[in-house]
Amino acid sequence: MLKSKQFLQRFSKEYAKFTPANFKLKRALVVTKLSRYEFEQLRHPGLSKEQLEQKLRDRGTDVEMVLYLHNLHKDFERRIVQSFQDVGCEVKLSSRLEFRSSLSKDVMSWADVIVPVGGDGTFLLSAGRASPLFALSQQKTPIVGFNSDPLHSEGRLMLPKHYSDNPADAVARIKSGDFKWMHRSRVRTTLLGSNGKIPESTDLFRHTEVKMEQVTTDPEMLDNHMATKYKAKMKRILPYLALNEVFIGEHISSRVSHLQLVLNHQDVVNKTKCSGLCVSTGTGSTSWHTSINRITSRDVDDLLQSLPNSNSADVLRLRENTQEIAHRYNQGLLFAPDDPRLCYSIREQICVGVWPSPKTFKKRDFVQNVFVKSHCIDANLVIDGSISYPFNDGAKALLEVHPEDALLTIALD
């Protein structure tokens, strides 16, 4: 916590001139989502428009709805571009269909602001590229997202939904400096090993295995303490930071994941068999973290009915408020986007016989850092559900938050 405060103090001095009022908006990179129709075009590049639509109808797809949502997004995309142009901003448009070239380091460095248009997935894609490790520079390019379809998408990372009705108002406020900065913590992943090699990453955003732009960071020697503790010689930081979470588990979901965890560099090695490990930030606490750990009103009711005094007046009164109890519990799972802590969650931990070891190992807890060693057969380390690295038996990673890695976003009421 002290380290975070010291960094924020340095950050405030360094970026005193980078206040909202002094923010100069001249160049905007608009990153657009991959619509379902575009995805189908990508899957069937040899088909004409008519042939593609007939193929979709033959398999029972509601083609009219697919086209309606595609056109809805494209119309909104044009409104966003026009809104930035109307305030004198130069705009470059990038599609997820071609992001390997259109979201290169040079393009990301060109922009004064990155504008994902779509849903949270598009925002996460943009955030992954708006990384000082990816750009190999200390430049912080802010991000502001617009939800192109608020009726069908929650868009928690985007601006409030009323700006989807009139995006020009939001752009005008950004241009005039009438906004606030928000810092979102991100997970830095460092691979530990004997030779400093980095495995090749795979893009999962396009629903197929495509090699990512291979950005390399320099390997570093571990200090003696870390080298002895984790039985490794070298470390290498992955160039992509996780805004939501890092997930580690077997590629085939039905296969059990064997993992070892060391929390906060303690001397206890925690061994687990489970369906995978999710290490989440405060931003990601509204997403997969909540889905893994949330309870329903039915869960509360079942628990209350299992009590010895389940028919007592006190318990019966509680059973009348199961929805409220579940809601309060689920809200308690959330934590602030700028929280310097991580929260790990073990999915479906096996709790029989010798597992977990030790028995006191919690399935969920807040930590400053997590060391993970794999004993899996065909596993992956996945950043924000989009960038995948192989993480098989013997692979080691350290997950932690560094204040300087925080994502700078634009917030409006």
Side-chain angles (χ1 to χ4, degrees):
M1 186 67 73
L2 179 60
K3 180 181 178 182
S4 300
K5 289 182 178 178
Q6 290 173 342
F7 169 78
L8 291 176
Q9 288 172 356
R10 293 197 304 270
F11 182 89
S12 298
K13 293 179 180 178
E14 181 181 352
Y15 285 88
K17 60 181 180 180
F18 201 50
T19 61
N22 293 331
F23 176 59
K24 304 300 182 184
L25 176 58
K26 297 180 180 179
R27 298 178 297 271
L29 175 63
V30 177
V31 184
T32 67
K33 68 176 284 185
L34 178 68
S35 72
R36 173 64 183 274
Y37 185 70
E38 289 173 318
F39 170 61
E40 296 295 349
Q41 288 179 312
L42 184 66
R43 291 180 65 190
H44 307 286
L47 298 183
S48 67
K49 181 177 183 296
E50 292 75 17
Q51 290 171 328
L52 176 60
E53 292 178 12
Q54 187 58 52
K55 183 176 184 65
L56 297 179
R57 286 192 175 92
D58 289 344
R59 73 182 191 208
T61 301
D62 187 343
V63 175
E64 283 67 32
M65 178 57 71
V66 169
L67 287 171
Y68 168 77
L69 294 176
H70 170 75
N71 292 327
L72 183 73
H73 170 72
K74 288 301 176 183
D75 288 342
F76 187 81
E77 174 188 302
R78 285 188 283 270
R79 291 175 63 196
I80 292 294
V81 171
Q82 189 64 52
S83 295
F84 278 94
Q85 290 176 338
D86 287 345
V87 297
C89 201
E90 183 182 354
V91 178
K92 286 186 178 181
L93 190 63
S94 169
S95 167
R96 279 171 56 172
L97 279 170
E98 53 187 21
F99 79 93
R100 279 177 65 108
S101 58
S102 60
L103 286 183
S104 66
K105 296 189 296 295
D106 293 337
V107 175
M108 300 298 285
S109 300
W110 168 87
D112 296 320
V113 65
I114 300 168
V115 188
V117 178
D120 286 343
T122 307
F123 191 102
L124 290 171
L125 169 69
S126 303
R129 292 301 176 111
S131 160
L133 298 174
F134 171 78
L136 302 179
S137 75
Q138 293 304 309
Q139 175 178 328
K140 277 187 177 289
T141 304
I143 293 185
V144 59
F146 290 84
N147 191 339
S148 63
D149 186 10
L151 292 179
H152 299 93
S153 170
E154 186 63 28
R156 291 180 180 272
L157 299 176
M158 304 305 201
L159 289 179
K161 293 183 178 181
H162 58 265
Y163 287 114
S164 296
D165 296 329
N166 196 347
D169 285 352
V171 175
R173 288 187 61 183
I174 296 168
K175 178 67 175 179
S176 65
D178 183 19
F179 62 88
K180 295 180 181 179
W181 293 124
M182 174 185 289
H183 296 86
R184 294 179 179 271
S185 298
R186 294 192 281 188
V187 187
R188 178 186 292 193
T189 304
T190 302
L191 299 184
L192 309 182
S194 59
N195 53 25
K197 289 184 178 180
I198 189 169
E200 195 161 22
S201 54
T202 300
D203 163 41
L204 304 181
F205 258 121
R206 295 175 68 179
H207 307 278
T208 184
E209 292 191 357
V210 178
K211 298 303 180 185
M212 297 286 294
E213 179 181 350
Q214 191 69 7
V215 179
T216 58
T217 53
D218 293 331
E220 302 175 52
M221 293 292 296
L222 283 171
D223 61 50
N224 291 335
H225 174 73
M226 290 285 286
T228 301
K229 185 175 183 65
Y230 296 121
K231 296 179 176 59
K233 297 179 181 178
M234 309 286 291
K235 68 176 182 178
R236 197 155 195 171
I237 301 171
L238 297 185
Y240 302 100
L241 299 167
L243 179 60
N244 264 6
E245 73 277 311
V246 171
F247 178 79
I248 298 174
E250 288 282 1
H251 183 73
I252 299 176
S253 59
S254 60
R255 182 178 287 153
V256 174
S257 299
H258 295 245
L259 301 171
Q260 291 185 2
L261 280 69
V262 175
L263 310 176
N264 298 326
H265 297 308
Q266 296 173 353
D267 293 328
V268 178
V269 177
N270 302 281
K271 302 177 182 179
T272 180
K273 292 173 66 176
C274 59
S275 295
L277 166 72
C278 180
V279 180
S280 173
T281 65
T283 295
S285 68
T286 64
S287 186
W288 202 353
H289 168 83
T290 294
S291 297
I292 292 172
N293 296 297
R294 71 186 302 273
I295 62 173
T296 65
S297 57
R298 177 63 180 269
D299 296 328
V300 176
D301 193 57
D302 288 346
L303 179 62
L304 293 173
Q305 287 190 68
S306 69
L307 296 175
N309 59 336
S310 59
N311 292 322
S312 68
D314 289 341
V315 174
L316 290 175
R317 277 195 296 271
L318 289 174
R319 290 185 62 191
E320 294 175 357
N321 297 285
T322 54
Q323 286 191 340
E324 174 62 23
I325 295 171
H327 175 73
R328 291 181 64 179
Y329 177 88
N330 294 332
Q331 287 298 112
L333 296 171
L334 311 182
F335 55 109
D338 61 349
D339 196 313
R341 300 173 300 169
L342 298 172
C343 188
Y344 75 86
S345 299
I346 305 295
R347 290 180 70 203
E348 300 167 331
Q349 180 164 252
I350 295 175
C351 297
V352 295
V354 298
W355 303 99
S357 176
K359 294 294 185 184
T360 54
F361 177 47
K362 297 179 181 178
K363 64 169 292 187
R364 183 181 82 248
D365 204 0
F366 284 104
V367 291
Q368 298 299 319
N369 53 69
V370 185
F371 168 81
V372 187
K373 181 178 180 180
S374 171
H375 289 294
C376 298
I377 299 173
D378 182 23
N380 297 99
L381 182 152
V382 183
I383 297 172
D384 282 339
S386 64
I387 304 168
S388 176
Y389 289 87
F391 199 72
N392 296 319
D393 190 26
K396 302 172 184 178
L398 179 64
L399 310 178
E400 54 192 343
V401 170
H402 285 247
E404 62 269 27
D405 295 337
L407 180 69
L408 186 64
T409 61
I410 290 175
L412 296 174
D413 299 327

